[in-house]
Amino acid sequence: MGGKIFLISNGSAAQPLAPQGVALTLASCATIVTTNLGMVGSMVRNKLTDAKIKGLRKPGIYADGAGLYLRVHSGGSKSWFFIYRRKGVRREIGLGGFAGTAPITLAIARRKADDMRDMLANDQDPFAARQAAKTVPTFSVVASRLIEAKRSDWTPKTEKEWRVHLLEHAAKLSDVAIDAVGTEIIETTLLPIWKKTPATGQRVRGKIEAVIDFASAKKLRTGDNPARWTGHLEHVLSSAGRTTGANHEAMPYAEVGAFIRELGSDTAEQCLLFTVLTAVRTAEAIEAVPSEFDVDAKTWTVPEERTKTGKPLVVPLSDQALAVVERRLTGTFVFEGAVKNRPIGNAAMRVVMAAKRPGQTVHGFRSSFRDWAGEETEYPSEIAEWSLGHKVGSAVERAYRRGDALEKRRSLMADWATYLDKNRVNG
């Protein structure tokens, strides 16, 4: 048989296929096979051209060579496919349409075919690889993968908590394909926990959000995270959310320095460190973008749409705060999450707190800062309130506008960072 391709017609003896580039009607063609795997690579290639393909009108199958074919359908559309035979089994794999919103050109089709030939040459089955890629893992499988990826950074206690929360408390999600996890089933999972123990419900929700973010980063699903709190589940579980907030306490300011010593290089932990150093609100830090920072002036301007007062807030940066963000000013967001061009999830810092200091919140550090400023410093209360982004009244604003409120706030934030450093060393 040499390196020829044979056509097996209905009930007829095997006959040589029509010359390369000549159409085969689907009615007369039952099966196209190569004589053996080795001959796929030896056949003549590149018989088609872009001009020839555009001129094809007659329905049929047109060979480019070495297993790559173009099928012209009766309606005029055209699509690519690759045929090979491995271990006695014939496989036909679609490569995509020649036209459409994402057209597969001749060059692209040849590259795809080359990739499959390379796999065959390395004793790999392209069909099996494609089927494996289509298999979507369940929530519990992805949760276990996330835990495995993170466990080296955790204490045994933290790992146990993640396993209990994700594989026991969220057991209703276990067998659901990760790309099928939606708001409804998350709500069904969380509501019983939330009604009984709101704080635990919030921690479980945060971990579910982390699993879904992880899945998105691994290209196992697309779209928004249905477990996110702000602008989503806060409306579904709003009353429980209010209860949860009331159950949390702020960390005593004398303990904050020792706490931040525990924070590592993980993005969520670095964002938490920056939030503590600047005493800003969670969303203000999470959604920070490089263009908001002036490294030379050591300032960060939070735009009005992200502040609670509806006015831009200029945040003076201590050397310690600037050091956290200075090396992160190249991406779309300063604190980018696992999904490219998106910030970390709203729950990311809460998850860190749940693991390291259960019962205490990220927002509580603003109270820690305010308590320290009032009890340990001589700064006017208005300066501390202004540093927190609170409204201080038009009269106060006018009075400080004549002076230098920014520099007073800069001094306050520098003293706060120094205090934390001192306690970080001594803690």
Side-chain angles (χ1 to χ4, degrees):
M1 290 185 180
K4 297 179 180 178
I5 299 177
F6 282 74
L7 168 66
I8 303 176
S9 300
N10 297 331
S12 302
Q15 299 294 328
L17 192 68
Q20 300 278 7
V22 177
L24 302 174
T25 62
L26 295 176
S28 65
C29 180
T31 310
I32 299 176
V33 297
T34 57
T35 56
N36 57 51
L37 177 59
M39 291 184 181
V40 170
S42 64
M43 292 184 290
V44 177
R45 302 186 189 183
N46 303 343
K47 300 299 293 182
L48 296 174
T49 64
D50 288 322
K52 182 181 292 186
I53 292 172
K54 290 179 181 178
L56 293 176
R57 297 290 185 272
K58 183 178 180 181
I61 297 174
Y62 297 81
D64 185 56
L68 178 61
Y69 296 88
L70 178 72
R71 178 179 280 116
V72 178
H73 301 271
S74 57
S77 62
K78 302 166 186 176
S79 60
W80 296 100
F81 63 99
F82 182 78
I83 293 179
Y84 68 95
R85 189 176 186 86
R86 186 172 187 269
K87 295 181 180 180
V89 178
R90 175 190 177 279
R91 296 291 190 191
E92 177 179 319
I93 299 180
L95 303 181
F98 180 72
T101 56
I104 304 299
T105 64
L106 175 59
I108 294 175
R110 285 173 177 168
R111 285 199 296 271
K112 286 176 173 281
D114 282 340
D115 289 342
M116 293 190 178
R117 294 179 191 117
D118 288 343
M119 293 181 69
L120 291 167
N122 287 285
D123 198 29
Q124 297 175 352
D125 189 344
F127 179 80
R130 179 171 285 197
Q131 290 302 107
K134 288 181 178 179
T135 303
V136 180
T138 63
F139 176 87
S140 62
V141 169
V142 177
S144 296
R145 291 178 186 174
L146 172 61
I147 292 170
E148 190 61 31
K150 296 284 190 180
R151 65 192 299 265
S152 62
D153 298 327
W154 292 341
T155 64
K157 180 180 178 181
T158 298
E159 181 184 349
K160 181 180 179 181
E161 181 185 282
W162 275 71
R163 291 190 183 280
V164 169
H165 283 176
L166 290 173
L167 304 180
E168 295 181 21
H169 287 76
K172 290 180 181 179
L173 300 175
S174 292
D175 297 328
V176 179
I178 192 64
D179 63 348
V181 176
T183 302
E184 184 175 351
I185 192 168
I186 290 175
E187 180 185 357
T188 301
T189 300
L190 291 176
L191 202 53
I193 309 170
W194 218 291
K195 288 180 177 179
K196 184 177 180 181
T197 315
T200 299
Q202 186 65 278
R203 289 198 290 273
V204 173
R205 185 208 61 77
K207 291 179 176 67
I208 293 172
E209 183 179 11
V211 171
I212 295 175
D213 275 345
F214 181 78
S216 296
K218 296 295 183 181
K219 301 185 187 308
L220 298 175
R221 61 174 289 141
T222 58
D224 291 337
N225 193 322
R228 72 187 187 279
W229 179 253
T230 303
H232 190 58
L233 288 184
E234 66 174 333
H235 302 302
V236 179
L237 302 166
S238 56
S239 59
R242 286 193 291 271
T243 303
T244 300
N247 289 340
H248 287 175
E249 297 178 354
M251 184 181 297
Y253 63 80
E255 298 177 13
V256 177
F259 168 75
I260 63 175
R261 183 176 59 181
E262 301 175 23
L263 300 177
S265 58
D266 177 82
T267 301
E269 295 187 31
Q270 285 293 290
C271 187
L272 178 54
L273 174 58
F274 180 72
T275 303
V276 172
L277 288 168
T278 55
V280 296
R281 296 180 176 86
T282 301
E284 293 169 348
I286 287 176
E287 298 176 17
V289 298
S291 61
E292 295 169 358
F293 290 81
D294 186 331
V295 175
D296 294 331
K298 293 185 179 180
T299 58
W300 165 38
T301 302
V302 184
E304 60 186 28
E305 57 266 24
R306 290 217 313 279
T307 65
K308 201 166 185 179
T309 62
K311 297 180 180 180
L313 174 65
V314 179
V315 180
L317 300 175
S318 63
D319 290 340
Q320 294 89 331
L322 185 61
V324 175
V325 298
E326 199 165 12
R327 61 182 179 277
R328 296 175 173 273
L329 301 180
T330 57
T332 304
F333 290 89
V334 176
F335 299 102
E336 286 204 346
V339 181
K340 188 176 181 181
N341 296 328
R342 288 177 59 183
I344 59 173
N346 290 312
M349 291 191 284
R350 288 199 295 270
V351 169
V352 174
M353 291 301 297
K356 295 182 179 294
R357 294 292 192 281
Q360 294 178 333
T361 64
V362 180
H363 191 81
F365 288 112
R366 287 167 57 80
S367 295
S368 304
F369 165 78
R370 186 64 185 88
D371 290 344
W372 165 82
E375 297 176 18
E376 301 287 340
T377 79
E378 299 297 324
Y379 290 94
S381 61
E382 294 86 358
I383 291 295
E385 292 297 314
W386 207 333
S387 297
L388 289 167
H390 290 162
K391 290 183 178 180
V392 295
S394 57
V396 173
E397 288 190 25
R398 285 195 299 270
Y400 278 105
R401 196 171 293 126
R402 290 195 296 269
D404 195 348
L406 178 61
E407 289 310 306
K408 289 182 183 296
R409 290 191 290 120
R410 185 186 300 281
S411 179
L412 174 62
M413 301 315 296
D415 286 350
W416 170 236
T418 299
Y419 174 82
L420 295 179
D421 272 349
K422 179 181 177 181
N423 283 270
R424 175 156 42 172
V425 172
N426 296 334

